[in-house]
Amino acid sequence: MKELSDMMSFRPSVKVVDATLRDGGLVNDFYFPEGFEKALYEANLKAGVDIMEFGYKADKDLFDVDKFGPCKFCDDDFIRSIVGENNTDLKIAAMADVGRCNYKRDIIEKAESPIDIIRVATYLNQIPAAIDVIEDCTKKGYQTSCNIMALSTGQESDIKVALDLLGKSPVDILYIVDSYGAIYPEEMARVCDMFGEFAAKYNKKIGIHAHDNQKLAFANTIECVGDGVDYLDATYMSMGRGAGNCAMESLLGFLTNPKYNIYPVIKFIEEYMKPMKEKGVVWGYDLQYLLTGVMNQHPRTAIAFTKEKRKDYTNFYKEITSQE
């Protein structure tokens, strides 16, 4: 059993990461209401959030710039239009998705960019390519993380090989990513132990990015806090792909560090998140996402079910379990 002090005290090393623009952008093609990004930046500053992820560094040769909002591409000029020189303690991050970014062209030297951290998203079978991105970004002066997606589908032996390879790389943070919302807190504790072994061996930090398919994103995140994980991803009002993520308002309500302030988060939700949802932007827990989480499946089928406005949950269950 965890020491109560691990859950009730605070560690100065804990960092709260706002992923609203990046994961949330997946549900609206990154088209946010006018003034949204600036207001979110200011809310994060007031709330004491440590890191704000602005979106993806997506390859414009692969994705049509006319079909997505600016957070899909995170051009430096766009970020500067929001944060200026960002003379604050808040660090700016962007995600480089392995195979979907042109990092050598689009990620410039850190000294010339408003971005501080590049978060490299990868599947287990892409680890060598991910390390190439990490090495390139490190040489350019960025702090880096490696976010291993779909972790719940990987074999423990493969995960350990990946962590050993990453441990030998210059990456700063090893990220646990429960892409399918399939991991339970007891399992998450074991995953933390495994990541912790390699983090200690290679002097790395650990992060958690949880999805809410089984309404466990918050539970899994605070499980990780008690297990020594320092980088905690959250989104305002849980906005994220499919069932969404750990809610920022829940996380800041839990953390005892006096530097965090939940009030600016509540104010932003009232002024921006609630109206956006009322206008028809769809995300959050629903039965179809629960079912893909239980089955440890990618939520793409549940996302399609949602877009088609289907309500035949029993048929959907039969489809994803191949039952006649």
Side-chain angles (χ1 to χ4, degrees):
M1 183 178 291
K2 291 180 180 59
E3 292 292 334
L4 190 58
S5 60
D6 292 339
M7 304 297 286
M8 295 188 67
S9 62
F10 73 84
R11 299 192 308 277
S13 56
V14 165
K15 307 295 182 186
V16 172
V17 183
D18 170 34
T20 306
L21 291 179
R22 202 270 308 165
D23 216 317
L26 293 171
V27 309
N28 62 0
D29 292 329
F30 304 90
Y31 287 115
F32 294 97
E34 185 176 355
F36 185 96
E37 297 95 338
K38 180 69 171 179
L40 180 59
Y41 171 69
E42 292 174 350
N44 281 327
L45 287 174
K46 293 174 183 176
V49 168
D50 300 283
I51 300 166
M52 179 175 177
E53 186 179 40
F54 261 76
Y56 288 96
K57 275 286 188 182
D59 188 346
K60 294 179 182 178
D61 294 332
L62 296 177
F63 298 95
D64 188 343
V65 295
D66 296 325
K67 293 183 178 179
F68 299 95
C71 291
K72 177 76 171 177
F73 306 99
C74 281
D75 291 339
D76 290 342
D77 289 343
F78 166 71
I79 294 177
R80 279 202 180 90
S81 74
I82 305 300
V83 309
E85 292 305 312
N86 187 36
N87 296 316
T88 75
D89 293 331
L90 177 67
K91 290 188 175 183
I92 304 301
M95 179 164 280
D97 198 347
V98 172
R100 298 182 178 185
C101 64
N102 188 334
Y103 57 96
K104 292 185 178 178
R105 179 192 68 194
D106 295 332
I107 300 177
I108 63 174
E109 294 289 329
K110 165 67 189 80
E112 302 170 14
S113 173
I115 299 171
D116 302 292
I117 303 169
I118 299 296
R119 286 155 49 100
V120 180
T122 182
Y123 291 104
L124 281 169
N125 65 343
Q126 299 172 311
I127 292 295
I131 290 174
D132 195 56
V133 182
I134 290 162
E135 290 175 343
D136 183 79
C137 292
T138 300
K139 288 177 183 176
K140 290 173 178 173
Y142 295 94
Q143 184 180 10
T144 58
S145 73
C146 188
N147 297 36
I148 306 176
M149 299 183 289
L151 204 64
S152 60
T153 64
Q155 297 292 324
E156 183 175 322
S157 57
D158 293 338
I159 297 170
K160 287 184 174 181
V161 169
L163 290 173
D164 197 53
L165 290 170
L166 289 167
K168 296 170 184 174
S169 83
V171 75
D172 298 291
I173 311 158
L174 304 171
Y175 249 91
I176 300 164
V177 183
D178 184 15
S179 302
Y180 301 168
I183 299 175
Y184 296 98
E186 184 180 84
E187 296 173 294
M188 186 61 76
R190 293 197 293 271
V191 173
C192 288
D193 285 345
M194 177 169 51
F195 270 66
E197 175 188 341
F198 289 91
K201 179 179 179 179
Y202 292 107
N203 194 28
K204 309 295 185 183
K205 294 290 189 179
I206 312 174
I208 173 65
H209 180 87
H211 277 263
D212 210 25
N213 296 61
Q214 299 188 80
K215 299 189 75 64
L216 291 172
F218 175 55
N220 279 327
T221 301
I222 65 173
E223 171 69 38
C224 289
V225 173
D227 289 326
V229 173
D230 283 331
Y231 285 76
L232 314 175
D233 282 19
T235 62
Y236 283 62
M237 204 173 158
S238 295
M239 186 183 188
R241 185 206 63 198
N245 306 97
C246 175
M248 180 67 76
E249 57 274 23
S250 298
L251 183 60
L252 294 193
F254 167 78
L255 294 173
T256 55
N257 191 334
K259 72 165 284 190
Y260 298 124
N261 181 4
I262 195 174
Y263 179 75
V265 176
I266 301 304
K267 192 171 188 290
F268 184 84
I269 289 172
E270 178 183 340
E271 295 179 353
Y272 286 91
M273 303 302 296
K274 285 287 189 180
M276 184 166 56
K277 197 155 197 180
E278 288 166 2
K279 288 180 180 178
V281 180
V282 179
W283 76 86
Y285 169 84
D286 209 334
L287 189 56
Q288 62 270 29
Y289 294 117
L290 168 71
L291 294 175
T292 57
V294 168
M295 299 301 296
N296 194 17
Q297 294 180 6
H298 192 289
R300 62 174 62 91
T301 53
I303 292 170
F305 181 96
T306 304
K307 287 183 176 179
E308 294 165 12
K309 298 182 179 180
R310 290 174 57 182
K311 300 297 180 184
D312 54 329
Y313 299 105
T314 51
N315 284 335
F316 179 70
Y317 176 78
K318 293 174 183 177
E319 291 167 9
I320 66 171
T321 56
S322 299
Q323 294 183 9
E324 296 298 332

